[in-house]
Amino acid sequence: MSGAGAEGRRTGADAPRPGAETSENAERDELYAQLRAYEGRAAATAGRGKDPVNEPMIRHWCEAMGDTSPAYRGPDAVAPPTMLQAWTMGGLSGHTDGTGRSAAYDEMFALLDGAGYTSVVATDCEQEYPRPLRPGDRITFGTVIESVSPRKTTKLGTGYFVTTRTDVHADGERAGTHRFRILKYRPAQRNKDAEPARRPRPVINRDNAGFWAGVAEHRLLIQRCTDCATLRLPWLPGCNACGGAEWDTVEACGEGTVFSHVVMHHPSFPAFAPDGEGGPYAVALVELAEGVRIVSNVIGVPYDKVRVGMPVQLEFLRTDPDLELPVFRASEGG
Amino acid sequence: MTRAYRVGDELPPLDIPVTRTLIVAGAIASRDYQDVHHDAELAREKGSPDIFMNILTTNGLVGRYLTDHFGPTAVLRKVAIRLGAPNYPGDVMRLTGRITEVAAGEPAEAVVQVTGDNGIGRHVTGTVTIALPGPSPKRSGT
């Protein structure tokens, strides 16, 4: 099939979509409508297997699978039926002219790639084997795009399921049907080289500016009411014991114990995880020696080793060039 | 091949060590050169923690599990699989199977529900239809 007619239609799909993040719903509907137009169209016509069914490829397959069945060896050998799709694959050099892939299929993929759905994972494979394949059989096939799903969100990312059906013939005889479903998706995690995940910035205002000024000097400052001497943390405009508006500060000595804690598993938030990979992390309520409590991270132990009552010591952690935070290192066991 | 198969029969489980070599060898034997099946760095850029087994290899292993059990005269008619938790290197996938239908005939056919579980969950769920010829008059397992 000539690609000339396809080129004109592809340009729109290849154009960048700067509005993708701001008008997600509109984009979804529009893209889905475009994708659905490909349902029923050929994904491959008059495809030809690059190699006839042959013993070396059968042997390599059986070696990889650990399949020692005698049915796949010797003068009466057949090919393992589950190898069906392998005979239609483009391989390293891809589907070049004459081996199948249609312009419609390429166009649809270009649409998805252009919209950021660049990754592929196969999810379903349904095969029927009406006739065994034997060495020497010449493979031909045709593929139709059966369906495209609405946009779905999966653990891997957001994307569209595309289902194709391939009819495989051997020397002109129907030999197999192969229904295949892939997810064409936008990866959920970005390339690590792009930019490391950053923690959210604290909101600093006139009520808590003194706290953050202390952190900048590596001092954890607790507010103290000058009327009734009650300590308070986090910082507040007034005393929650007597209502007094005047205050001064006391510097925490840095000793504390874990009063309570939770482990965050989901959603993954790479900036908070010690490994930066988005794994689980512990959030603790630490009771300071002075008697007030602060929400922070416990470092120096795996998330699942944080315990209530565990002694901890204040430290200041620079999470990125613009942010330093008070955190608590588990002091148990040095 | 003289034994009778019955609905409810369980196949003995088969443990498949998911090595990096198996993943790459399976991908290449199935002519699948998608980078996520052989290049860990590119797999990570696409949001996967490592390379993972391609669906064709899973399909081949499911087929092998059935024919290992039923013997070389058994013939696969249909294999339908759905993938879930990926097979990453270092894991072990345990295949299990249970006969859910047996149809008498020439040859008899059985339907087997197959699952493959790995360390992170259910990798594969499948339904396989397999023809079970009686004692073969010709081509006796040479």
Side-chain angles (χ1 to χ4, degrees):
Chain A
M1 186 171 276
S2 159
E7 287 307 314
R9 266 178 291 176
R10 271 170 77 162
T11 43
D14 290 337
R17 293 167 170 265
E21 297 309 319
T22 51
S23 58
E24 197 74 28
N25 286 335
E27 181 221 24
R28 175 193 62 192
D29 293 340
E30 184 201 323
L31 181 58
Y32 179 50
Q34 291 177 55
L35 294 170
R36 283 197 73 183
Y38 289 92
E39 287 183 351
R41 294 184 64 181
T45 47
R48 275 189 286 112
K50 288 193 161 184
D51 298 288
V53 176
N54 65 84
E55 288 174 63
M57 282 173 64
I58 293 172
R59 185 166 51 77
H60 298 166
W61 170 279
C62 289
E63 284 178 4
M65 303 302 158
D67 197 328
T68 56
S69 171
Y72 310 140
R73 296 196 302 258
D76 295 323
V78 297
T82 52
M83 211 181 156
L84 182 68
Q85 190 186 1
W87 306 113
T88 69
M89 296 289 277
L92 198 50
S93 57
H95 286 278
T96 47
D97 281 353
T99 60
R101 200 95 143 225
S102 77
Y105 195 70
D106 288 341
E107 269 176 56
M108 191 180 67
F109 264 59
L111 263 178
L112 285 158
D113 286 335
Y117 302 95
T118 50
S119 294
V120 181
V121 67
T123 61
D124 294 76
C125 172
E126 299 169 20
Q127 299 183 330
E128 291 183 40
Y129 317 110
R131 164 204 189 283
L133 295 176
R134 300 179 187 282
D137 284 341
R138 303 243 160 219
I139 299 297
T140 52
F141 61 95
T143 304
V144 65
I145 301 165
E146 274 198 339
S147 63
V148 182
S149 78
R151 202 176 74 141
K152 304 276 188 187
T153 298
T154 74
K155 202 176 172 188
L156 280 173
T158 300
Y160 298 84
F161 288 93
V162 178
T163 306
T164 54
R165 195 193 73 237
T166 301
D167 290 305
V168 179
H169 289 78
D171 291 334
E173 241 183 297
R174 196 169 84 87
T177 307
H178 168 65
R179 181 175 282 109
F180 202 60
R181 188 167 300 122
I182 59 160
L183 173 67
K184 185 88 173 122
Y185 67 99
R186 186 192 304 214
Q189 281 170 288
R190 304 310 300 170
N191 180 355
K192 263 191 281 187
D193 299 335
E195 69 182 53
R198 286 156 58 94
R199 295 199 188 200
R201 307 292 101 176
V203 176
I204 301 176
N205 55 35
R206 64 182 177 185
D207 291 330
N208 68 7
F211 174 83
W212 291 105
V215 169
E217 297 169 359
H218 288 192
R219 300 165 70 211
L220 181 61
L221 297 179
I222 304 165
Q223 272 182 313
R224 177 172 59 190
C225 174
T226 49
D227 290 334
C228 72
T230 302
L231 298 177
R232 62 180 191 261
L233 192 68
W235 284 33
L236 293 165
C239 177
N240 46 20
C242 73
E246 301 302 315
W247 52 269
D248 62 6
T249 60
V250 176
E251 183 180 349
C253 72
E255 305 290 332
T257 54
V258 174
F259 183 81
S260 171
H261 65 94
V262 293
V263 174
M264 286 297 294
H265 291 270
H266 189 80
S268 109
F269 207 137
F272 282 97
D275 58 3
E277 296 282 349
Y281 60 95
V283 178
L285 183 61
V286 172
E287 186 162 278
L288 301 179
E290 291 78 12
V292 290
R293 298 172 192 153
I294 180 171
V295 174
S296 182
N297 294 124
V298 174
I299 62 168
V301 286
Y303 67 88
D304 57 353
K305 294 287 184 280
V306 177
R307 294 285 180 271
V308 170
M310 180 179 260
V312 291
Q313 177 69 42
L314 173 68
E315 263 183 35
F316 290 88
L317 175 71
R318 184 168 288 283
T319 63
D320 59 64
D322 309 323
L323 185 62
E324 220 169 356
L325 294 171
V327 295
F328 292 84
R329 180 174 291 279
S331 46
E332 207 169 45
Chain B
M1 302 307 124
T2 50
R3 66 160 290 191
Y5 294 103
R6 278 189 305 228
V7 170
D9 284 356
E10 307 263 352
L11 278 60
L14 174 66
D15 284 344
I16 305 280
V18 183
T19 61
R20 204 167 282 277
T21 302
L22 170 60
I23 293 170
V24 174
I28 302 312
S30 55
R31 297 187 47 71
D32 182 349
Y33 291 87
Q34 293 283 333
D35 50 32
V36 291
H37 306 310
H38 65 262
D39 188 325
E41 200 173 321
L42 294 179
R44 279 193 286 273
E45 283 183 14
K46 291 181 173 170
S48 174
D50 204 333
I51 63 167
F52 55 93
M53 185 178 284
N54 72 338
I55 193 167
L56 290 87
T57 300
T58 303
N59 206 41
L61 292 171
V62 167
R64 172 197 149 192
Y65 176 51
L66 272 285
T67 50
D68 275 3
H69 178 72
F70 290 103
T73 60
V75 179
L76 297 169
R77 296 289 195 217
K78 293 182 195 173
V79 176
I81 60 170
R82 167 164 292 184
L83 296 193
N87 267 343
Y88 295 119
D91 210 336
V92 175
M93 174 173 68
R94 167 162 286 201
L95 289 165
T96 57
R98 187 171 161 274
I99 298 177
T100 55
E101 285 176 46
V102 177
E106 281 288 328
E109 280 192 354
V111 177
V112 182
Q113 296 295 327
V114 178
T115 57
D117 291 342
N118 61 27
I120 53 173
R122 179 143 294 175
H123 169 68
V124 60
T125 312
T127 306
V128 179
T129 306
I130 189 164
L132 306 168
S136 179
K138 53 184 176 179
R139 236 191 263 168
S140 54
T142 46

